[in-house]
Amino acid sequence: MKRKRVLAVVAAGLVVAVAAGLYWFQPWKLWVNETVQEALPVAETTAQPTESATPAPKEPTVVATGALISHEHATTGDVRILRAADGSLVLRLENLDTSNGPDLRVWLTDAPVIPGKDGWFVFDDGAYVSAGKLKGNKGSQNYTLPAGTDLARYSSVTIWCDRFNVSFGAAELAKSV
């Protein structure tokens, strides 16, 4: 009878450990892709239309660009930071292709982009601005940066796994003139 109780306790402990491990690592996300295809953000012009033409939407200005490199997971795509006509900043990921994972974020950071394993953990050491949760691990998507974000303070963008404190991929930003 005592042996059955010990086996039941051990079995219950194993079930709890497996459930906690599945919750923490979420391994099924490695096989589930979330594709997001958002259009380039544009603002309507405020000028009154003439009789012959309607005003065209005003394209945002590109203020910084970069190409994603792989860190913990294979990651490709481009990053653009855009200034809208109203002065707001939008971080745009274009043609993103990375692994899915638990608790992925898009961060604008002051950390240098270091290739290889040495670059996996540097992005939470300094200043960063979170643009929000990653909307999808594939596609093109827009993230509005908080008002007052000073781009002069930040030099890179990372796809950051907040659960494991590791970069999936990052891009060094080149400021546009």
Side-chain angles (χ1 to χ4, degrees):
M1 187 65 130
K2 186 176 180 179
R3 186 168 197 238
K4 285 184 181 181
R5 247 188 259 151
V6 169
L7 286 174
V9 169
V10 168
L14 284 173
V15 167
V16 168
V18 167
L22 287 173
Y23 170 77
W24 188 254
F25 289 97
Q26 298 178 4
W28 57 88
K29 287 197 169 190
L30 291 173
W31 295 280
V32 176
N33 290 317
E34 296 177 36
T35 301
V36 173
Q37 292 294 349
E38 293 181 329
L40 184 69
V42 293
E44 294 297 323
T45 58
T46 57
Q48 295 297 322
T50 63
E51 290 180 21
S52 62
T54 59
K58 183 169 178 164
E59 292 288 323
T61 305
V62 177
V63 295
T65 60
L68 290 162
I69 66 166
S70 299
H71 278 147
E72 170 71 19
H73 292 265
T75 301
T76 59
D78 294 308
V79 176
R80 292 198 300 165
I81 297 182
L82 310 166
R83 185 174 307 278
D86 64 3
S88 64
L89 294 171
V90 174
L91 188 155
R92 181 166 170 80
L93 300 176
E94 294 181 329
N95 304 311
L96 175 66
D97 188 356
T98 191
S99 298
N100 206 341
D103 207 14
L104 296 180
R105 308 291 174 145
V106 179
W107 284 2
L108 180 65
T109 80
D110 67 352
V113 175
I114 303 168
K117 192 170 183 173
D118 291 340
W120 291 10
F121 307 102
V122 300
F123 296 100
D124 62 347
D125 294 341
Y128 62 88
V129 172
S130 178
K133 285 187 165 259
L134 186 69
K135 296 174 184 178
N137 63 308
K138 297 191 180 298
S140 297
Q141 44 210 269
N142 305 313
Y143 298 86
T144 302
L145 294 173
T149 299
D150 180 8
L151 290 181
R153 293 188 60 201
Y154 305 102
S155 60
S156 61
V157 170
T158 183
I159 307 300
W160 185 256
C161 180
D162 215 23
R163 169 102 19 108
F164 294 104
N165 295 316
V166 67
S167 172
F168 274 36
E172 192 77 34
L173 294 174
K175 307 288 194 290
S176 299
V177 177

